[in-house]
Amino acid sequence: MKRRDVLKSAVAGAAALAAPRIVQAADAKTINFMPQADLASLDPVWTTADITRNFSLAVYDTLYGYDSGFNVQPQMVEGHVTENDGKQWDLTLRDGLAFHDGTPVLAKDCVATIQRFAKRDPFGGALMARTDEISAPSDKVIRFKLNKPFALLPNALAQVYCAIMPERLAKTDAMQQVSEAMGSGPFKFIASERIPGQRAVYEKNAKYVPRKDGKPSFNAGPKIVYVDRVVWNYIPDPATASAALTQKEIDWWEQPTIDLIPQLQRDQDLTLAVKDRTGEIGCLRFNHLFPPFDNAAIRRVVVAAMDQKEIMEAVAGADPSLIKTDVGIFVPGTPMASTLGVEITRGPKDYNKLKQDLIAAGYKGEKVVILAASTFPTIWAEAQVASDTLKKIGMNTDFQALEWGTVVARRASQEPIDKGGWNVFYTYLGGFGNISPAPAIPIQSSGVKGSWFGWPTDPKMEELRHAWFDAPDVAAQKKICEQMQAEFWQSPPYAPLGMYFQPTAFHNYLQDVRDGWPQFYGVKKNA
């Protein structure tokens, strides 16, 4: 399948959905933002969808934050002290913290949040495996009693998904979504203005107390809000989104389609820039619970069939400088990345041989149910090319074109295929998990009790992952990561499809747009 054909079908599929009517973005106190997808879930623990991560950055706050150098800084905590050779940590909350309903943020809220977060997040799980007790000895102190020193404790609590919420909500089962969005962050979510499939609205939290020290960087430092409202208007048709941007109906388009970037770059009123340096790794995620992908040999054949260059050209071929191939677990060139085994991801491919390999691996013609997000152009592009490859190697595919929110909901199902289950979904892996094993959810392999959607079970990978946390230095960490990549190719939890760096586009009158993921504190609108 050719790149242009994929992109045309992406636009055509998206255009089939009605575009919302956008109000002219003239108000200097309102940022009109076009997100990458509709906001399908309000729970940053229940889902890892980037759209919910961005929502969480606005509505919630975290105990620690990451600066642009990926260094950890105190955020909700004033600081911490350690005792007993690093096995006791006392974290003290800073003054002025309150939830959006006016109730104060207490240490018991943080304890309940951490416990719930750790049940779904690998970094949080590693912390709790080293924790004998977590308690709130006072309203302002969170106490960890560890069974061994763990210097990465602040890093774990700096994860965006460790979003502090009231104890009454944090007591929700980690496998169920919370019933409301109640944070203590710089913006309030206005549920009454929510239009599913189209619109989400945030207002400035006038009672938010920013940190007084440090400087704004990524999601660390003082979070000072200069606007009154942020309105997310989701437009599924890229051509309509592009027109809305150039006509100033929206101020900021999170992820312009790559084919439209040359056109947008000619508009001198716009800034186009790559703000997220962790990139986006394409992912064909297997469901390990049912045939055929409960068989590692079959998964290996699928991984070997994928040509990363071909797939990424379908996604970002209009600007090849944005593409990276030879991608294993981590972003090439970052400290933990390895080149071990990446040659398997290169083309050209001998599909006749791969058909034979698939049969030899034990494939018996089982139907493969594929969830593909037609409303997400970059996912739609990779899904069409990769699914075409599955057909070429002889798989019996049931390709289902769905809205992204539907994919997010259905991928959580552990039902068998004949009861609405699935075998494959497509997504992108981004964020800190692309550069370190600590938060890398897709490689966690502890089965249905702790793994991400797809639920792989691989004791060797888990052993290596836990060993990484206890490695004495960077050299030892790198060696373990190489072993992890070797195991990855033997028992792949997903197929890496290459990667690209996604530019964002905004009008020049938006000042101080931060590096990293979309954040609206610190941004000034001088329209």
Side-chain angles (χ1 to χ4, degrees):
M1 183 172 289
K2 295 186 181 296
R3 180 177 64 85
R4 291 288 173 183
D5 293 337
V6 172
L7 292 168
K8 286 177 182 176
S9 63
V11 173
L17 298 177
R21 186 181 177 199
I22 309 299
V23 178
Q24 187 75 15
D27 184 358
K29 287 296 185 178
T30 299
I31 294 176
N32 286 274
F33 177 75
M34 160 57 187
Q36 59 181 268
D38 181 44
L39 181 62
S41 172
L42 307 181
D43 190 340
V45 168
W46 184 81
T47 183
T48 57
D50 288 352
I51 192 70
T52 300
R53 175 202 65 195
N54 299 345
F55 160 85
S56 182
L57 284 165
V59 174
Y60 295 98
D61 216 344
T62 51
L63 296 172
Y64 296 84
Y66 281 97
D67 64 23
S68 58
F70 304 121
N71 302 303
V72 173
Q73 309 290 347
Q75 193 58 39
M76 294 177 73
V77 299
E78 190 64 43
H80 63 253
V81 295
T82 60
E83 299 179 6
N84 191 20
D85 297 324
K87 291 196 288 186
Q88 178 171 312
W89 291 63
D90 283 355
L91 286 54
T92 301
L93 296 173
R94 59 185 176 88
D95 295 332
L97 301 177
F99 291 112
H100 295 155
D101 62 1
T103 59
V105 176
L106 304 177
K108 66 178 183 179
D109 301 308
C110 303
V111 168
T113 295
I114 294 165
Q115 290 172 327
R116 181 171 185 263
F117 150 79
K119 291 175 182 176
R120 297 291 294 265
D121 184 272
F123 208 165
L127 169 60
M128 294 309 290
R130 292 157 175 79
T131 300
D132 285 337
E133 181 184 352
I134 178 174
S135 63
S138 73
D139 285 346
K140 294 195 68 173
V141 175
I142 306 156
R143 176 168 293 164
F144 285 86
K145 291 185 177 180
L146 306 178
N147 50 52
K148 64 171 70 173
F150 191 54
L152 295 175
L153 183 148
N155 301 64
L157 301 182
Q159 298 300 298
V160 175
Y161 308 106
C162 190
I164 302 302
M165 59 184 64
E167 181 184 44
R168 63 182 175 82
L169 294 175
K171 290 288 188 182
T172 304
D173 188 321
M175 300 301 165
Q176 303 295 322
Q177 296 190 64
V178 293
S179 57
E180 63 180 295
M182 180 60 65
S184 64
F187 288 93
K188 297 180 180 180
F189 176 64
I190 309 303
S192 61
E193 296 192 48
R194 170 85 172 108
I195 303 175
Q198 178 176 329
R199 181 180 173 94
V201 178
Y202 311 83
E203 288 184 355
K204 177 180 178 178
N205 177 11
K207 295 184 178 180
Y208 181 77
V209 179
R211 290 195 68 85
K212 295 180 173 61
D213 58 339
K215 64 178 183 178
S217 180
F218 205 0
N219 66 316
K223 297 180 178 179
I224 301 171
V225 176
Y226 295 100
V227 296
D228 292 338
R229 283 164 62 89
V230 176
V231 179
W232 289 10
N233 283 298
Y234 174 53
I235 307 173
D237 175 20
T240 304
S242 178
L245 181 67
T246 56
Q247 295 168 16
K248 298 185 180 180
E249 293 176 350
I250 57 175
D251 304 306
W252 182 356
W253 185 5
E254 181 185 1
Q255 293 190 0
T257 53
I258 307 301
D259 259 25
L260 292 174
I261 285 175
Q263 171 188 325
L264 295 173
Q265 285 174 330
R266 292 193 290 269
D267 189 333
Q268 296 183 355
D269 293 331
L270 298 176
T271 294
L272 281 93
V274 173
K275 292 289 185 177
D276 179 8
R277 295 292 174 179
T278 61
E280 298 285 346
I281 296 177
C283 171
L284 182 162
R285 183 66 166 183
F286 303 111
N287 187 337
H288 296 242
L289 300 184
F290 306 109
F293 298 123
D294 57 344
N295 181 336
I298 291 176
R299 299 197 303 271
R300 287 197 296 270
V301 174
V302 170
V303 170
M306 296 298 153
D307 182 340
Q308 291 189 356
K309 185 173 184 289
E310 178 188 31
I311 294 169
M312 283 300 110
E313 283 181 344
V315 175
D319 190 346
S321 67
L322 299 172
I323 293 173
K324 278 190 179 292
T325 55
D326 287 355
V327 178
I329 301 177
F330 304 117
V331 177
T334 57
M336 297 299 139
S338 170
T339 59
L340 181 69
V342 297
E343 60 276 0
I344 198 174
T345 67
R346 302 170 188 159
K349 304 294 184 178
D350 183 342
Y351 294 115
N352 287 329
K353 181 179 184 305
L354 287 163
K355 280 183 180 180
Q356 296 170 6
D357 291 344
L358 191 62
I359 294 170
Y363 181 63
K364 298 179 176 61
E366 297 96 336
K367 182 168 71 172
V368 174
V369 174
I370 298 170
L371 310 183
S374 61
T375 54
F376 210 134
T378 53
I379 292 179
W380 185 240
E382 69 168 351
Q384 290 200 88
V385 178
S387 297
D388 191 46
T389 298
L390 295 179
K391 291 177 67 175
K392 287 178 179 178
I393 65 174
M395 286 201 145
N396 174 20
T397 61
D398 177 6
F399 185 86
Q400 300 186 12
L402 305 167
E403 191 273 329
W404 173 239
T406 303
V407 175
V408 169
R410 279 191 59 183
R411 69 183 184 177
S413 172
Q414 296 181 0
E415 291 295 323
I417 306 309
D418 59 356
K419 294 184 178 180
W422 58 275
N423 297 106
V424 163
F425 75 84
Y426 294 95
T427 189
Y428 285 90
L429 310 176
F432 300 135
N434 282 1
I435 58 175
S436 164
I441 292 174
I443 61 172
Q444 188 174 14
S445 301
S446 51
V448 294
K449 293 184 178 180
S451 297
W452 189 50
F453 310 115
W455 308 283
T457 299
D458 184 347
K460 184 174 180 180
M461 180 65 85
E462 284 300 282
E463 180 183 340
L464 290 168
R465 213 171 53 79
H466 287 292
W468 186 89
F469 289 104
D470 296 322
D473 52 39
V474 173
Q477 289 179 333
K478 288 181 177 180
K479 184 175 180 180
I480 291 171
C481 283
E482 186 170 281
Q483 294 171 324
M484 291 173 73
Q485 186 144 308
E487 177 61 17
F488 178 90
W489 301 125
Q490 286 300 306
S491 183
Y494 61 91
L497 305 179
M499 71 172 295
Y500 76 104
F501 293 97
Q502 173 66 54
T504 193
F506 53 88
H507 279 278
N508 296 336
Y509 53 69
L510 291 187
Q511 300 294 313
D512 299 329
V513 174
R514 291 191 184 190
D515 288 342
W517 309 312
Q519 298 166 86
F520 305 97
Y521 39 82
V523 180
K524 303 182 183 76
K525 183 176 179 182
N526 299 319

